[in-house]
Amino acid sequence: MLLTLGRQTVRSSWRGYLGAFVALLFGVVLIAVTVTLIGSVDATGSRPGVTADQRAQLDDLAAMFGIMSAVSAFMALFVVSSTFGFVVAGRRRELGLLRLVGATPGQVRRLLLGESLVVAAAATTVGGLLGTALAPAVLGLVEAIGITTLDLRAPRPWIAWAVAVPTGAVIALLGVWRSSRRAARIAPSAAMREAAIERTRPSILQLAVATLCFGGLVVVVVVAADMPPLFALVASILLPEVVVVGLMSIGHAVIPRLAALLARPFVARDVAARMARDEVRAAARTTAAVAAPVVAISAIAGSLLLSLSFTADWTNAQDRARLRAPLVVEADSPAAAAAVASDKAVAIADVRRQGMLQRDEEGRPGVRSEVEILDPVTASAARGLTATHGTLDDFHGRVVAVTATGVIDAGVGLGGTLPVWIAGERVPLRVVAVIPDAPDLYGDAVIPAGLLPPASERATGTVFVLPRADAAAARVSLQRTLAGTDSRILGSGDWIDATTAQTRQANNLSLTILLGPAGLYAAIAIVNATLIGGSQRRRQRDLVQFLGATPDQVRRAAIWQAALVGGTGLLLGGATTLLLGWLVRRAITADLVGIAVPITIPWLPLLGIGVTCVLLTVAAAAAGIRTRKAPHLAGNAP
């Protein structure tokens, strides 16, 4: 009965639910694609012949895809909830009429839930089919843009369906649940009203959610100076979602007022700007819903861009503060690295070597992780290796030294034991020192030479060189020694700059994966929400034309309105970005007291996000505006 009635009402009110269908459809596609990417990692890793290096690469991909899936699920839930909210709000008179003819509040709620199930059934079916069809193309794109060199194997299609379809249904129900409660309180007299004054005062529940979100943010800001940079980076990934939820809980009270403030400099110059200002204040819920995807994507994407840029600045400052070797050779082969060490102009050639350690998990071999293999004497001289806690004097045998970040990751500090598996044997490694973070110079865990079998060690090709006398003379000698090879000889500053550039390039690739699908979905959501909001204002546009406004003024008012709403969303998203960027920067400067840390702000990507959001909003508003020469005001204009 519930689904039958819901199907009938959706059929008669399909225009209103078209936007919700589109939002949910692409949300399901987004979820299906992320599930496919995560499943491809597992399917590829289960193939025989996968090496330890490939498995480590797959672990990194799994972590990246996991974060992407969390961002995608948040965007889908957030956008669909907002879209359903103002679709229901646009049917206020219709729901009031149902109440007038005898429908109870419970029946109104059940009707809306039934309609959401009908929309969800259609959207999840089409979205699942699209997600399945796009899976091979998405996996090919991941390889094409250089995220991985592995040939990712697509998982079975039913896995994406098993996750995306029920998730889409749950998102639809959650999206309409809160709106259905508000709709159930609509009085029968609403059917007789030509206009409704929307309530802008937040409810107690909304205030509680906002207080909880902003209270957590305040706590993190207060302890920012004592927060490890790793925690600050994680906070910059998680907190944007918390801030966005808090903002949108009170969005219908905040966003219209901010949009009106943005309009203040223009209202005296253009009557269309004044009309737009009055409309965004009057239609508070629609204004907040249209701004929602702009706030979400600008806050999340902006915070990640700024935080990762500041993290690259952090590693750059660490490299410059700790690297002692004036020359760095990127050898093209082990033979070239050995030739560097034997050069008569070289006093110390610190060859960077790495290996894979298998962590112990409840008495069984577990996850493999990369470790650094070094000699403490040469590493101290060339790479500035020191112990902030403990000592490197005992760095031999079954021991390990970890960075401050490694302590957090492994959960084992100075004097503790880190159990690992080496050549099929469980080996407890004693933590003898905690060393400073310097990811470009050594890893989070370092072990002495001889602990791993020789076959498990590999040279990275990087050799840190201390000359016997003059660095220029050593460079000339090394150029003769390495003639005929593809090895590169760099000054320490040039090597640091090149390494930082590679880090930023890797960050850009990571952001492409993390934000690419969510960004595309946000773009669709911005256009979709703007078009829905414009369609719900047709009657108001007819009214202002009836009162004397020209079609050009109505068009300009719609464009002004879109610009004000988009600008307000960017203002809130930008404020979130600045706050979380400051949080990461504060933690970094506190960690590197006395060390000059550069500031690199990715202006071009940040401006690109802002310009794209505003252009999409304005273009959708301009495309959706339809003016009439003879406005018809009776009932709801089609």
Side-chain angles (χ1 to χ4, degrees):
M1 180 64 181
L2 180 67
L3 291 177
T4 301
L5 183 59
R7 186 172 63 252
Q8 292 172 351
T9 53
V10 168
R11 185 180 301 168
S12 63
S13 305
W14 67 270
R15 292 181 186 275
Y17 272 111
L18 180 60
F21 171 81
V22 171
L24 185 57
L25 165 66
F26 286 101
V28 172
V29 172
L30 182 63
I31 295 170
V33 167
T34 58
V35 171
T36 297
L37 290 174
I38 295 173
S40 68
V41 172
D42 183 66
T44 305
S46 62
R47 289 187 300 186
V50 177
T51 65
D53 288 343
Q54 290 174 334
R55 198 168 297 279
Q57 189 178 151
L58 289 172
D59 290 340
D60 292 339
L61 284 176
M64 186 184 303
F65 292 156
I67 297 174
M68 183 189 71
S69 66
V71 173
S72 300
F74 173 81
M75 285 295 298
L77 177 60
F78 185 74
V79 170
V80 171
S81 177
S82 298
T83 305
F84 269 106
F86 74 97
V87 166
V88 172
R91 299 174 59 198
R92 183 178 181 86
R93 294 186 67 194
E94 176 188 337
L95 296 174
L97 182 61
L98 288 176
R99 295 281 286 117
L100 186 65
V101 298
T104 66
Q107 288 173 329
V108 171
R109 290 192 64 186
R110 288 193 295 272
L111 172 65
L112 292 175
L113 290 173
E115 291 174 354
S116 72
L117 283 176
V118 172
V119 174
T124 53
T125 301
V126 178
L129 291 172
L130 282 176
T132 301
L134 289 173
V138 171
L139 293 177
L141 180 62
V142 168
E143 298 176 31
I145 62 179
I147 296 296
T148 179
T149 57
L150 299 175
D151 182 19
L152 295 177
R153 174 184 294 179
R156 295 180 179 179
W158 67 264
I159 296 177
W161 279 78
V163 176
V165 170
T167 301
V170 170
I171 287 175
L173 289 173
L174 290 176
V176 83
W177 176 75
R178 177 166 159 265
S179 300
S180 68
R181 291 186 61 188
R182 187 169 62 247
R185 294 194 293 268
I186 293 177
S189 59
M192 305 300 179
R193 296 175 186 166
E194 289 298 315
I197 302 300
E198 296 186 4
R199 174 182 173 179
T200 60
R201 186 177 61 190
S203 66
I204 294 177
L205 179 59
Q206 290 169 331
L207 286 174
V209 171
T211 301
L212 183 63
C213 292
F214 294 135
L217 178 64
V218 169
V219 171
V220 174
V221 169
V222 169
V223 301
D226 300 321
M227 184 182 298
L230 176 64
F231 278 10
L233 180 59
V234 172
S236 70
I237 296 174
L238 300 178
L239 280 180
E241 290 82 356
V242 176
V243 174
V244 169
V245 170
L247 284 173
M248 299 315 299
S249 295
I250 56 175
H252 58 284
V254 174
I255 293 176
R257 290 178 171 85
L258 282 178
L261 286 176
L262 288 180
R264 179 174 291 181
F266 310 102
V267 294
R269 304 176 185 178
D270 189 351
V271 68
R274 187 181 310 160
M275 292 163 56
R277 181 201 61 184
D278 295 340
E279 178 63 23
V280 296
R281 288 196 303 195
R285 293 193 181 278
T286 300
T287 299
V290 174
V294 178
V295 175
I297 194 61
S298 60
I300 295 172
S303 298
L304 279 175
L305 277 168
L306 204 56
S307 298
L308 287 178
S309 180
F310 286 172
T311 303
D313 292 336
W314 176 51
T315 58
N316 182 285
Q318 289 171 322
D319 293 343
R320 294 188 184 278
R322 309 199 189 284
L323 185 58
R324 300 287 181 267
L327 296 176
V328 181
V329 176
E330 294 291 352
D332 65 344
S333 66
V340 171
S342 62
D343 192 289
K344 294 182 179 180
V346 174
I348 294 177
D350 184 15
V351 181
R352 189 172 184 183
R353 291 178 296 162
Q354 295 175 337
M356 299 297 293
L357 270 183
Q358 198 164 18
R359 299 289 181 88
D360 177 77
E361 293 181 359
E362 299 179 354
R364 298 189 305 273
V367 178
R368 293 179 178 271
S369 59
E370 198 170 66
V371 294
E372 199 85 13
I373 304 164
L374 51 76
D375 173 63
V377 175
T378 57
S380 297
R383 295 184 242 178
L385 180 69
T386 58
T388 55
H389 298 89
T391 177
L392 293 172
D393 294 339
D394 299 327
F395 195 70
H396 52 79
R398 296 185 172 186
V399 299
V400 63
V402 295
T403 63
T405 299
V407 170
I408 298 171
D409 183 43
V412 179
L414 182 64
T417 300
L418 182 65
V420 298
W421 287 78
I422 300 176
E425 177 188 358
R426 187 178 184 274
V427 179
L429 301 182
R430 182 167 55 91
V431 180
V432 297
V434 177
I435 57 180
D437 285 292
D440 292 334
L441 302 180
Y442 44 79
D444 288 340
V446 300
I447 59 175
L451 184 60
L452 290 179
S456 301
E457 300 182 4
R458 66 177 181 85
T460 64
T462 303
V463 185
F464 302 98
V465 177
L466 283 171
R468 292 188 181 279
D470 182 59
R475 182 191 286 267
V476 172
S477 178
L478 286 171
Q479 287 173 343
R480 289 195 299 266
T481 300
L482 298 174
T485 72
D486 292 328
S487 303
R488 295 184 303 151
I489 306 169
L490 303 171
S492 57
D494 294 335
W495 179 81
I496 291 171
D497 290 339
T499 303
T500 302
Q502 291 176 357
T503 299
R504 295 189 188 280
Q505 184 179 10
N507 288 344
N508 292 337
L509 286 175
S510 299
L511 286 173
T512 301
I513 284 292
L514 291 176
L515 298 176
L520 180 61
Y521 178 60
I524 295 170
I526 289 170
V527 174
N528 186 46
T530 304
L531 290 175
I532 298 173
S535 68
Q536 292 186 351
R537 300 187 190 102
R538 279 186 192 173
R539 197 164 182 279
Q540 289 88 333
R541 291 198 296 265
D542 288 346
L543 178 60
V544 296
Q545 280 191 259
F546 182 78
L547 295 175
T550 65
D552 179 65
Q553 288 174 332
V554 172
R555 280 192 291 270
R556 285 191 290 112
I559 293 174
W560 267 112
Q561 189 170 344
L564 291 174
V565 173
T568 303
L570 287 177
L571 183 64
L572 293 173
T576 303
T577 297
L578 288 176
L579 179 59
L580 296 180
W582 172 87
L583 179 72
V584 174
R585 180 72 187 180
R586 183 75 178 88
I588 288 173
T589 53
D591 183 65
L592 299 177
V593 177
I595 299 176
V597 183
I599 300 178
T600 305
I601 298 177
W603 290 112
L604 188 59
L606 291 174
L607 290 174
I609 292 172
V611 171
T612 301
C613 288
V614 172
L615 286 180
L616 285 174
T617 307
V618 172
I625 186 70
R626 295 289 185 273
T627 57
R628 306 182 182 195
K629 294 182 179 179
H632 177 66
L633 298 176
N636 287 320

